[in-house]
């Protein structure tokens, strides 16, 4: 099942560009922005649901979203420039500038070093419509003021130097090659290029090879000065900060910048209606076939946009959607996906399906098109409409409780026309009618508006209307907006304080529950349950029955059909995830306070009373076999499987055995519904389960309705943790031929006898040493292969250890052009030898130690951390103050201790190397 999941993640990444902004919401603070002290020359414009808009003296727009419940601050600077603003010969300039801005200014020659020193998480991204730079850090007015000052400096004083361009160009080219290496991503790029003949939305954001390799530094500097300016930028700050001080810092730095005398150039581009269907065919090695039917649609701030969202959900829903019933239930394809993707000036509505490489795509393609375009004659029914609209609105209800997403949500709607659209879009979705949905289907789902298939002459083609730039004011008109947003309450996530607040319960069968009573935005409750199954002896030969059983949990019970299960969860507004494999599984549930326990009862019903209907079982089997068939024929999948299997000492049937793809296919073919159901009845049960729950809850109610219910449910087979001792791998250099791949991958790894719980000093010393060696920007591998060598966009090292056995793993990897494999491999070896011979310096240790400690402090915030903290306490029963003790241990580590651990455990002669790529091109 992993392969098809991978396909749909990749496919959805293509069709969902920008959609996440529709689901973000704002947060409010106890402080009223309207009454806060506003510095001179700063103007308050308006407030909507906790976000307040200000203008600095030079007219720059600022959005502030204070949230007392979050101990972090996120700052997002967005420039309204992306790939659609690039002219002839400027392909990829917006993206290249994003890279070069991080090269520094005369005042701050190494901003990345400054970020790390302050414990920032940072990055930049570029799309067709905008470029943004963001940073997240533990709440500190000093750090916030510094970052705002750096943004002001970077806006006008960035080097944009020839020497930096020369080194970064090869890195960007490597990024371009990585994109070309992914057949799904490449299909998306080609599809966009075919769909947009004149509009710049058809250009890839990363650019094209010719322009990347021949950038004119003077043109790039002119591009920077043209678009990096106060009147073309928007800054948003979200999290825990003081409004007045922050505005003062903005006015003092950003507010003093002058706008150039020339105005920002207008981009004039409008895509004419298509005059017939278009076709794109990409021939590349891949595990699955992909068919995409893509239709032009209006931009985000067009009144039809919300109705198109409902239409896409109605057709693409699983299992009720028409596409699933026509293609998946008939066992023609692996799965379906649909989405409406609006952007600033235009959008698309896309329908995707995937099938095995040997299947006849023509039949599936015809059914896909007939189903989609058939809505014009067979309208969406009322029940389909209600199900889709309810699903979207319930999802939005949960999303609007997520304060951490306020920056991205408001900013992405600002990019499409006006940040307030994030709230109006929600209201317009509520107002969508069945007539609206069927009207947009008739308007846009037309043969002549489709990018797919062959050109067929048509005597009287029906044309889609010309798409004009949406009027943001008209979109907003008629929908009053409220200043009040969801309440947020400050909460201290200090681990020692959390330890004192936890309420621990346990049943006679060793079911444990950790509860944390606290307010959560939207009155949400988060519930996780970890289940444990069997022993190493009882689980022999159970891998495939267990996997199939985990896939059957949503397929129907003795009281509810597959559709009824989904409908009930949607009505409750509950997000439920059930993930089970051979040795156990996990239940994850999020719902409003009043719906959490009813939703849990549905989840428990699925776990206890599923019936594994024969029809659905065969559907799951067929999907699994199609995915495995694709993997078997794909050399990249075979290479990854061989790498994962190397050195595995366990016999066939052992739950720790790593099967070949062919073995997995044979087992899926032979497994029966009876065998799968017997595994479910024999192993599923709640003994030794671990429950974590957080939110505005009554703990007694959860003890009575969760713990007591679980206690009644015992498995026939006992549980004992399966041991995973260290495997001493034989050193080797393995090569894997993956033809027609534009990039090659280099991997190296070896195992070492370290446990983080038993050997904390060694664990932290090795973790810190690995950060210095290959832990991202500033590390030795990053500097050698990316910054200086320009060899690899992705390079790094990793160290991880077990909490039970003395079993850890050190690894490093790089993505390079095939002709650079030898150079990159030698560079990895040289840097590792140098680190073992010369060790790490005091300066490196102090820099990365400060970053490591800052990361630990920053990560101790939010409900996700609290849930993880509780599950860790249930698993390991750590003593009070453990986090602070570990911080002190890390701070006390000396350069000598770190070098000693590195030399003791890391051995270059023990490495297993893997080189993946087109071996005919590798040097």
């Amino acid at each position: 099942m992993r392969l098809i999941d991978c396909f749909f993640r990749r496919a959805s990444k293509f069709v969902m560009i920008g959609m996440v902004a529709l689901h973000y919401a704002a947060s409010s603070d106890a402080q009223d922005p309207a009454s806060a002290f506003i510095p001179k020359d700063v103007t308050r414009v308006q407030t909507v649901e906790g976000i307040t808009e200000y203008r600095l003296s030079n007219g720059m727009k600022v959005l502030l979203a204070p949230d007392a419940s979050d101990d972090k601050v996120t700052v997002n600077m967005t420039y309204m420039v992306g790939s659609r603003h690039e002219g002839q010969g400027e392909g990829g300039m917006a993206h290249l500038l994003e890279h070069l801005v991080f090269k520094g200014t005369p005042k701050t020659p190494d901003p990345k070093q400054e970020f790390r020193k302050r414990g920032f998480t940072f990055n930049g991204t570029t799309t067709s419509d905008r470029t943004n730079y963001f940073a997240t850090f533990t709440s500190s007015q000093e750090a916030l003021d510094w970052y705002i000052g750096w943004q002001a400096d970077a806006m006008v004083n960035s080097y944009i130097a020839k020497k930096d361009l020369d080194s970064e160009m090869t890195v960007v080219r490597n990024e371009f090659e990585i994109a070309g290496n992914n057949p799904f991503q490449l299909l998306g790029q080609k599809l966009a290029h075919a769909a947009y003949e004149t509009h710049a939305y058809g250009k890839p954001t990363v650019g094209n090879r010719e322009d990347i390799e021949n950038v004119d530094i003077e043109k790039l500097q002119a591009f920077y000065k043209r678009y990096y300016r106060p009147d073309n930028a928007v800054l948003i700050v979200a999290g825990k900060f003081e409004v007045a001080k922050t505005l003062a810092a903005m006015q003092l730095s950003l507010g003093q910048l002058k706008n150039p005398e020339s105005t920002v150039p207008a981009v004039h581009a409008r895509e004419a209606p298509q005059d017939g269907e278009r076709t794109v065919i990409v021939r590349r090695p891949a595990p699955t076939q992909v068919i995409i039917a893509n239709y032009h649609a209006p931009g985000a701030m067009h009144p039809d946009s919300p109705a198109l969202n409902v239409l896409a959900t109605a057709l693409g829903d699983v299992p009720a959607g028409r596409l699933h019933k026509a293609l998946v239930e008939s066992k023609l394809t692996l799965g379906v996906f649909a989405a409406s993707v609006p952007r600033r000036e235009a959008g698309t509505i896309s329908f995707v399906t995937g099938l095995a490489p040997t299947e006849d795509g023509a039949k599936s393609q015809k059914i896909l098109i007939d189903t989609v375009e058939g809505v014009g004659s067979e309208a969406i029914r009322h029940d389909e409409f209600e199900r889709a609209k309810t699903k979207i609105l319930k999802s939005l209800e949960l999303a609007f409780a997520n304060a951490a997403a306020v920056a991205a949500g408001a900013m992405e709607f600002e990019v499409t026309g006006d940040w307030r659209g994030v709230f109006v879009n929600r209201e317009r979705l509520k107002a969508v009618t069945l007539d609206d949905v069927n009207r947009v289907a008739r308007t846009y789902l037309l043969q002549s508006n489709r990018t797919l298939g062959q050109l067929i002459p048509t005597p009287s083609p029906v044309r889609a209307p010309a798409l004009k730039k949406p009027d943001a004011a008209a979109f907003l008109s008629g929908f009053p907006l409220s200043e009040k947003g969801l309440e947020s309450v400050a909460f201290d996530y200090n681990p020692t304080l959390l330890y004192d607040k936890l309420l621990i319960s346990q049943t006679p069968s060793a079911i444990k529950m950790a509860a944390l009573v606290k307010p959560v935005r939207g009155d949400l409750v988060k519930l996780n349950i970890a289940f444990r199954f069997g022993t190493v002896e009882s689980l022999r030969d159970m891998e495939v029955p267990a996997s199939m059983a985990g896939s059957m949990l949503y397929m129907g019970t003795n009281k509810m059909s597959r559709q009824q299960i989904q409908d009930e969860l949607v009505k409750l507004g509950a997000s439920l995830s059930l993930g089970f494999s051979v040795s156990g599984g996990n239940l994850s549930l999020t719902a409003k306070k009043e719906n959490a326990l009813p939703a849990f009862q549905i989840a428990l019903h699925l776990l206890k009373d599923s019936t594994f209907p024969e029809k659905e079982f065969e559907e799951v089997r067929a999907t699994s076999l199609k995915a495995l068939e694709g993997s078997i024929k794909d050399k990249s999948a075979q290479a990854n499987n061989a790498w994962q299997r190397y050195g595995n000492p366990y016999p066939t049937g052992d739950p720790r055995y790593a099967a070949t793809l062919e073995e997995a296919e044979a087992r899926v073919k032979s497994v029966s519904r009876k065998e799968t159901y017997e595994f479910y009845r024999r192993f599923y049960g709640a003994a030794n389960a671990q429950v974590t729950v957080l939110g505005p809850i009554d703990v007694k109610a959860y003890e009575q309705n969760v713990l007591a219910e679980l206690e009644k449910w015992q498995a026939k087979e006992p549980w004992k943790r399966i041991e995973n001792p260290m495997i001493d791998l034989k050193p080797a250099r393995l090569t894997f031929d993956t033809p027609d791949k534009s990039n090659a991958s280099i991997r190296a790894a070896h195992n070492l006898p370290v446990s983080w719980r038993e050997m904390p000093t060694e664990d932290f010393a090795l973790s810190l040493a690995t950060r210095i060696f290959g832990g991202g920007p500033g590390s030795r591998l990053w500097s050698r292969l990316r910054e200086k060598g320009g060899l690899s966009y992705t390079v790094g090292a990793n160290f991880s250890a077990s909490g039970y056995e003395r079993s850890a793993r050190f690894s490093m990897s790089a993505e390079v052009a095939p002709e650079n494999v030898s150079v990159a491999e030698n560079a990895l070896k040289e840097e590792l030898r140098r680190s073992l011979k010369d060790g790490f310096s005091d300066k490196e240790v102090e820099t990365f130690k400060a970053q490591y400690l800052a990361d630990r402090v920053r990560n101790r915030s939010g409900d996700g951390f609290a849930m993880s903290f509780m599950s860790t306490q249930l698993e390991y029963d750590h003593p009070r103050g453990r986090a602070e003790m570990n911080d002190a241990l890390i701070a006390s580590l000396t350069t000598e201790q770190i070098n000693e651990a590195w030399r003791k455990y890391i051995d270059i002669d023990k490495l297993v190397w893997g080189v993946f790529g087109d071996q005919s091109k590798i040097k």
Side-chain angles (χ1 to χ4, degrees), residues 542-554:
M542 292 297 173
E543 177 75 27
V544 171
S547 175
M548 296 289 284
S551 299
M552 293 297 297
L553 295 176
Y554 292 97

Side-chain angles (χ1 to χ4, degrees), residues 10 103 106 144 155-156 161 215 287 293 328 346 355 375 465 579 581 644 659 671 707 733 760 840 849 860 888 904 906:
R10 289 170 172 168
K103 295 295 184 179
L144 177 56
M155 186 182 291
V156 295
V215 177
V328 180
L355 56 158
V375 177
S581 61
Q644 292 164 4
V671 71
L707 280 188
R733 187 180 189 275
F840 302 112
K849 185 189 292 185
R860 293 171 194 156
K904 178 179 179 180
I906 304 302

